[in-house]
Amino acid sequence: MDSGNIVNVLESEGVECLLSGERKIPLSSCNGKTVCLFFSANWCRPCKALTPQLVRLYDTLRIEGKDLEIVFVSFDRDEDKFNEHFKCMPWLAVPFDVNLHKRLSDMYHVDRIPSLIPLSSDGIGIEEDLIGLIEDYGAEAFPFTRKRREELKAIDDAKREGGKIEELLAHQGRNYLMSRDGREISVSDLVGKTIGLYFGAHWSPPCRAFTSKLIEAYNELMTYNDQFFEIIFVSTDRDLKEFELNTSTMPWRAIPYHDKTRQDLCRIFNIKEIPALVLIGPEGKAISTNGRALISLYGAKAFPFTELRIKELETALGKEGEALPPQVKDLKHDHLLKLDMAKAYVCDFCKKQGRFWAFSCDVCDYDLHPTCVDKSF
């Protein structure tokens, strides 16, 4: 039997109709449409979390005139729970029958829920994660085929590697970014600049800590490189209030909170954790996805963040270390201090933050800036 023809499958199982709310709908209503089977259950938290997103997708595609139908196949243990889950769904459902649902899940190799399976010869199978595709692309993923997935991936690759900043940060409905005071600033103003895409959220303590470092580097760069550098905030805040609180402390521009470009950029640059800083060169192509480390290590000195510039800084650091003695005896401390490389530390004499070279004690937790050695109390 052709498992891709849901009408034939259900007829062979003795099913005479589908449900739409309290109404009975003939199986033939699925003919000629892209049909997806939605395996879900009321007791399943991920299922209940996904359902509202799937409702929005379904409504959007129906408004656009797409021939889509979703058919709910329940994993619930009793009919009351089935009805409770189904009442929030605008699509169709297979009538409640535990044994039938078990046979359908076996037929379509469903080993987890929620699962969404498109019934077409080129449909994306459960092992390829159609739900993940929909979470990434929304309605653009229709008709949920492998061909469409490859097309979307090619579009992402072109935006990431194509060198056109307007295509990366804007779209037909929006060609501007938001300033801290709410002004709309054209994306075209960024052409030819080095850009940092800052992915972060106010709820994240590491993001708040990095934001302070980034503001310090940004302000320093703006004093002499304001025509060549800009940062764009890509929020992963949980709501608009958090976003507004976050951006109120930032001197740079931001993607509007309700714009899907925020999610698109996270996907395009494969952002898995925050804070993250992706650096885009003047030609519009990514030069580093590790901007967080570069700012944390070198601050504004890392500009323009090219491999050549980082090598220059590393070489200069090496020469600086070679010019320092391997160990010293400082008047302010009882133990011998050895030259050490530290990404960040606080000098125990001047109480200011230091980077890279320090004279450190192996016996106790004591660090000195090289410039603070041998100073008396």
Side-chain angles (χ1 to χ4, degrees):
M1 183 188 305
D2 179 11
S3 62
N5 189 322
I6 190 61
V7 174
N8 291 344
V9 169
L10 294 178
E11 285 179 343
S12 70
E13 294 288 348
V15 177
E16 297 179 350
C17 64
L18 295 169
L19 303 179
S20 176
E22 297 181 355
R23 296 182 298 119
K24 294 182 179 180
I25 304 296
L27 298 178
S28 59
S29 66
C30 292
N31 288 335
K33 296 181 178 179
T34 296
V35 178
C36 295
L37 297 184
F38 180 41
F39 292 85
S40 181
N42 192 59
W43 51 262
C44 169
R45 287 187 179 181
C47 296
K48 296 179 78 170
L50 174 68
T51 299
Q53 182 178 355
L54 203 54
V55 169
R56 291 192 294 271
L57 172 81
Y58 182 82
D59 290 343
T60 298
L61 290 173
R62 295 294 288 261
I63 290 172
E64 292 176 357
K66 299 292 194 292
D67 288 327
L68 169 69
E69 191 54 76
I70 296 176
V71 178
F72 169 43
V73 182
S74 174
F75 266 59
D76 288 299
R77 303 180 180 99
D78 62 69
E79 192 164 4
D80 287 341
K81 294 299 182 183
F82 162 81
N83 289 328
E84 183 180 339
H85 198 30
F86 182 45
K87 70 181 180 182
C88 65
M89 301 176 185
W91 45 76
L92 306 179
V94 175
F96 183 76
D97 182 329
V98 172
N99 293 325
L100 170 60
H101 298 166
K102 177 66 168 62
R103 293 195 297 274
L104 289 174
S105 66
D106 290 343
M107 179 180 297
Y108 292 102
H109 310 291
V110 176
D111 58 4
R112 65 183 182 273
I113 56 173
S115 287
L116 189 66
I117 300 178
L119 304 183
S120 68
S121 59
D122 190 30
I124 294 173
I126 184 173
E127 72 281 356
E128 297 171 284
D129 191 15
L130 173 58
I131 289 175
L133 186 75
I134 288 174
E135 289 176 336
D136 281 343
Y137 294 100
E140 292 181 10
F142 186 82
F144 317 126
T145 59
R146 293 179 177 87
K147 178 182 178 182
R148 182 56 181 158
R149 180 185 60 185
E150 294 306 314
E151 289 172 348
L152 291 169
K153 185 177 181 299
I155 292 171
D156 281 355
D157 291 344
K159 287 183 177 180
R160 183 176 60 252
E161 302 168 4
K164 297 181 179 179
I165 201 66
E166 292 106 323
E167 293 184 6
L168 182 66
L169 300 181
H171 52 73
Q172 189 171 6
R174 177 190 57 78
N175 63 355
Y176 60 86
L177 299 164
M178 301 302 300
S179 67
R180 182 170 61 175
D181 58 6
R183 290 180 298 113
E184 297 179 357
I185 301 175
S186 175
V187 173
S188 62
D189 290 351
L190 300 174
V191 174
K193 292 186 177 184
T194 296
I195 299 165
L197 299 179
Y198 176 33
F199 299 82
H202 189 266
W203 54 260
S204 165
C207 287
R208 294 199 298 271
F210 180 68
T211 297
S212 298
K213 294 180 181 178
L214 192 56
I215 288 175
E216 181 181 346
Y218 178 83
N219 288 338
E220 184 176 341
L221 285 171
M222 287 300 100
T223 61
Y224 57 90
N225 275 312
D226 62 311
Q227 300 300 314
F228 304 101
F229 182 63
E230 190 53 76
I231 291 176
I232 310 302
F233 179 52
V234 186
S235 169
T236 55
D237 288 300
R238 292 170 292 196
D239 54 44
L240 180 60
K241 184 177 180 180
E242 280 191 358
F243 170 77
E244 291 175 341
L245 181 62
N246 210 359
T247 54
S248 68
T249 67
M250 297 175 175
W252 44 71
R253 307 169 194 182
I255 301 289
Y257 182 76
H258 293 297
D259 196 296
K260 74 179 187 69
T261 302
R262 295 189 303 115
Q263 291 80 15
D264 292 345
L265 291 170
C266 287
R267 182 189 66 247
I268 288 170
F269 291 104
N270 195 31
I271 302 300
K272 299 299 184 185
E273 61 180 29
I274 55 172
L277 183 66
V278 174
L279 296 163
I280 311 294
E283 295 79 22
K285 298 182 179 182
I287 54 177
S288 176
T289 58
N290 200 26
R292 176 188 178 185
L294 297 181
I295 291 294
S296 297
L297 280 172
Y298 304 111
K301 292 180 180 179
F303 184 83
F305 313 108
T306 59
E307 288 186 14
L308 177 60
R309 178 55 181 160
I310 302 308
K311 287 180 180 178
E312 289 174 350
L313 291 172
E314 291 173 346
T315 299
L317 275 173
K319 290 181 179 179
E320 183 181 325
E322 291 172 0
L324 294 170
Q327 59 188 31
V328 295
K329 183 68 180 70
D330 186 79
L331 298 176
K332 303 178 292 299
H333 193 68
D334 294 335
H335 306 124
L336 193 67
L337 301 178
K338 295 183 179 180
L339 185 65
D340 191 18
M341 170 70 85
K343 290 184 178 179
Y345 65 95
V346 175
C347 177
D348 285 287
F349 176 68
C350 69
K351 306 303 180 184
K352 294 181 180 179
Q353 189 174 27
R355 288 177 181 160
F356 310 120
W357 298 115
F359 284 104
S360 302
C361 180
D362 288 341
V363 179
C364 56
D365 185 17
Y366 188 85
D367 300 293
L368 282 182
H369 288 141
T371 55
C372 292
V373 171
D374 287 335
K375 291 184 179 181
S376 60
F377 293 104

